[in-house]
Structure formats: structure tokens, C-alpha cells
Amino acid sequence: MSDPDRKIIRSGRLAQNIIIIDGFPGCGKTLFGPIISSLDRVELLSYAFEIEFICRLNKLSKIEDDAAISLIKMLVDHKLYQTMMGRDTNFRYSDLSSVFNDSSPLRYFKRIFQKGDDFVPERIKEENPILSLTTHDLLAYSDPLVKGLEERLTFIEILRHPLYMIIQETVNMETLYDKINPRDIQIYFDYRGQQMPYFTAGWEEKFLQSNNVDRAIYTMHYCHEKTSVAKSSFQNSKSNLISIPFEKFVIDPYIYLNSIASTANTKIINKTYKSLKKQNVPRSKVSDGIPLEVYKRFGWVPPEKGLSEQGELIKRRDWAIESGASDECLELLDNLSREYEVKYLNAELESS
């Protein structure tokens, strides 16, 4: 039972500026991380699983609001402090979040030899670093994040056409949830003796009775509903929300990068242009990505020569049908697709 006389608080702060890149599986977050980290004073991208866990447990009423808010404040400060100390930094060569994939890798080698401890807060004041975090499906659970970080937070929501996410979502169902996978370190709860992933709260029976492609479609449907509701928290807060459709960004990134730079008090520099080039941005076709192994594992294939953007979408819808999508879920997928196309893609589809 919580003690009302002992409210958990944190009044100090080290991290003055935090960027979070968030979105559903398959939305293209891995493209954005290194690009955002190439902006002036922005740190190497880091995955913030602890913050995800706290927000989801808070949404499930398992952590009190004051504890969740204070823990998030502590974690962002701890992560920045450790980064500036040269600790907890990823030096695994092939990882997307590796120092070796950063636009300024040398700074992390230098920190290993710099003075630490009491010298770090002063160096943070002088250098004014911007913490860069990447999260998964966090917007729908972000209330304690918004309340804790307030004006310090720039939250970047990456959006993408549902048909471009359906394959990875289905693969996740097969590899993570179809069988209990100990590698999947995520929030689960017990439902009538079944281990259920956090996002199924409220539609557990549908999840249990569905095949993997239907589970993927239901997940996108219900997560989209929850995310739409959560956006109102940003409208009534001091935090900043920037929503970026992947398809628009990879064709013309600069309007969004300028918005991020202005909001987060940073700027585009030469390293940003180099990072864009490395990610093949801007590009002439949305599906013309780079052939990373991590993309291939989740169903990425090179664009089919001569196939229009509309044709690429049709090919992915056909994949969902061939994978066993029910009539009900196919209708949900079509509704999600139509809504997204009306809002973001009509001009592109008509001209392709």
C-alpha cells in the first residue's frame, strides 16, 4: 500500500534536453536514430528499455504515478551521466547503436580518459549534450514521461503505412509471442493462466484465438487507438511532439530535420548530411532502403524493379492474405491503410 506521506520526488536534473524517437515495430526507427544523433550536440542513440518498462507498468496500475515520474527523471540523468563518464556505452562493432556507427565516434573514446565523477556535471553544463533515446510503442504509455520531463522532452513519433509494418509485426508474433522466448525481455501479465504481452490488455481473448497475422493486425489496430488518445496528453503539456511519416521523410527530410533542430535547440551540421547519405536519404522511392541484415530478418526485400509505390503496397496486402488474414482483420488493415493514405500519402500514390 502506498504511503501518502512519502511521495517520491526528484528535484535536481542533469539532462536538460532529451530527444526520444518512438514508433511501432517496422516503422523505420533504425533509420532515424543515427540521423538524429548526427545533429549538433546530440549523443549516440541509446535504447531506453527501462523507461518503457516503467511506463507500461504504470499504465497497468502496477507503479504509482509519483514513483514512475521520479524514476524516469532519475534514469535520464543517470544515462547522461554514465555516457559522459564513458560508461555503459555500446562498443559492439556491428550494432546499430554502436559507437562505430555514430557520426562522431572519437568523442566516446576520449571520454574513457577524461576526468570523471565531480567533473562530469560541470562538463555537462559546458557542452550542453542532448540525450538521444529510442523506444518502442511508447507514445500510448507516455503519461509519466510527459509529466516528468515536461519542456525538456522532444518526442519524435515515426509513422509508416500499415502495409509496410505488417510483415515485421507478424514475424514478432511468431518469434516472440507464439512461443515463450526468454530473449524477449518485456512486460507480460497473467491472464487465466496464459502469459500475455502488455499490449493485449483489454483484448486478450482475441489475441489467444487469432493466428499470427491476425494478431499483428489487431495489435496495430488497438495500438493505433491507444496512441491517438495519448496524443492529447502532449497537447495539454509542455513537452514537444513531432510526428513524422516515414514516406515523407525519406523523400524530403529537411522540413522535419529543421523542425527537430528548432524544437530541440540544435542544428544540422556537415555530419548530418553524411549520415543522410549513408541511409540513402533523400531517395527516389520509399522502399529503396539499405540492405542491413536486421531489416532482412524482418522481411525486408529490395524494391521490385518497375513496380510503383502503389504496387509495393498491393504486394504487401497480398502477403497478408496469403498468410491467413481473416476477413475481419483484412477490413481492419484496409481501414488503417485508408486512414494513413488520406492523411499522408494521397499525392504520392496518385503520381506513382
Side-chain angles (χ1 to χ4, degrees):
M1 183 179 295
S2 62
D3 185 344
D5 295 325
R6 290 187 175 85
K7 183 178 180 180
I8 308 300
I9 63 170
R10 174 172 174 76
S11 55
R13 60 170 64 172
L14 288 173
Q16 300 295 335
N17 201 339
I18 302 102
I19 294 176
I20 290 182
I21 303 165
D22 184 66
F24 297 158
C27 72
K29 294 185 297 296
T30 51
L31 175 141
F32 284 84
I35 293 173
I36 300 304
S37 290
S38 72
L39 295 169
D40 188 42
R41 304 186 342 273
V42 179
E43 291 290 317
L44 171 71
L45 79 93
S46 178
Y47 292 101
F49 294 104
E50 304 93 337
I51 290 175
E52 294 180 25
F53 300 156
I54 291 166
C55 289
R56 287 163 188 163
L57 287 170
N58 175 257
K59 189 74 170 182
L60 292 169
S61 301
K62 298 298 182 180
I63 296 182
E64 298 287 342
D65 288 350
D66 61 324
I69 291 168
S70 296
L71 277 170
I72 288 169
K73 290 179 177 180
M74 291 163 60
L75 279 168
V76 296
D77 285 344
H78 183 260
K79 189 172 282 289
L80 182 60
Y81 178 82
Q82 294 291 80
T83 300
M84 298 299 287
M85 281 281 288
R87 296 172 177 159
D88 296 348
T89 304
N90 188 358
F91 284 88
R92 181 177 169 82
Y93 186 79
S94 61
D95 282 2
L96 295 174
S97 58
S98 168
V99 164
F100 297 99
N101 282 319
D102 187 65
S103 60
S104 303
L106 189 59
R107 57 180 163 169
Y108 297 102
F109 289 93
K110 288 181 177 179
R111 287 176 187 173
I112 297 172
F113 304 100
Q114 289 176 323
K115 292 180 179 180
D117 302 314
D118 292 339
F119 291 90
V120 169
E122 190 60 36
R123 202 160 77 245
I124 289 174
K125 286 182 182 179
E126 292 174 0
E127 297 180 15
N128 193 20
I130 301 172
L131 191 63
S132 176
L133 306 175
T134 297
T135 57
H136 309 77
D137 179 31
L138 185 60
L139 181 52
Y141 308 88
S142 60
D143 193 49
L145 188 73
V146 171
K147 291 177 179 176
L149 301 183
E150 297 183 302
E151 76 284 350
R152 293 188 285 163
L153 174 64
T154 299
F155 194 101
I156 302 173
E157 177 197 22
I158 308 302
L159 302 161
R160 196 166 189 182
H161 197 293
L163 288 172
Y164 266 100
M165 298 190 290
I166 185 62
I167 296 177
Q168 181 166 338
E169 288 276 10
T170 304
V171 171
N172 283 348
M173 297 302 157
E174 295 170 351
T175 59
L176 300 179
Y177 313 123
D178 200 24
K179 298 177 181 177
I180 297 176
N181 186 343
R183 184 175 172 272
D184 181 42
I185 304 171
Q186 192 48 266
I187 301 299
Y188 284 83
F189 62 89
D190 177 79
Y191 177 78
R192 299 180 180 178
Q194 297 278 348
Q195 178 173 289
M196 305 292 289
Y198 70 93
F199 55 81
T200 63
W203 57 281
E204 294 92 342
E205 288 297 328
K206 282 186 177 181
F207 184 86
L208 290 173
Q209 295 168 11
S210 299
N211 62 29
N212 285 321
V213 69
D214 279 0
R215 286 179 174 182
I217 295 169
Y218 279 131
T219 297
M220 287 194 290
H221 167 71
Y222 286 111
C223 286
H224 175 71
E225 287 188 342
K226 292 174 184 176
T227 298
S228 297
V229 172
K231 286 185 179 181
S232 62
S233 297
F234 277 90
Q235 294 171 355
N236 300 315
S237 77
K238 298 177 182 178
S239 296
N240 307 289
L241 174 65
I242 299 175
S243 298
I244 302 179
F246 180 92
E247 294 85 355
K248 295 278 191 180
F249 182 87
V250 297
I251 301 298
D252 185 8
Y254 296 106
I255 184 173
Y256 300 104
L257 287 175
N258 285 327
S259 177
I260 293 166
S262 174
T263 302
N265 191 28
T266 181
K267 60 185 178 181
I268 298 170
I269 56 179
N270 286 337
K271 290 174 182 176
T272 311
Y273 297 110
K274 291 179 181 178
S275 183
L276 286 166
K277 185 177 180 180
K278 188 175 180 180
Q279 298 294 330
N280 194 27
V281 176
R283 61 183 62 159
S284 58
K285 191 173 183 181
V286 171
S287 57
D288 193 16
I290 54 178
L292 294 180
E293 289 302 318
V294 66
Y295 296 164
K296 294 176 183 178
R297 287 205 308 270
F298 291 103
W300 181 88
V301 293
E304 190 173 327
K305 189 174 182 180
L307 196 62
S308 67
E309 299 288 8
Q310 182 69 66
E312 292 284 356
L313 295 174
I314 292 171
K315 182 170 68 173
R316 286 157 175 77
R317 185 181 185 275
D318 289 343
W319 180 92
I321 295 172
E322 293 166 4
S323 298
S326 65
D327 290 343
E328 177 185 349
C329 284
L330 192 61
E331 183 177 356
L332 285 176
L333 183 60
D334 287 344
N335 288 339
L336 286 169
S337 298
R338 276 193 293 270
E339 181 181 339
Y340 189 80
E341 289 170 11
V342 166
K343 195 166 186 179
Y344 299 112
L345 300 186
N346 268 355
E348 284 83 352
L349 292 176
E350 288 170 3
S351 62
S352 62

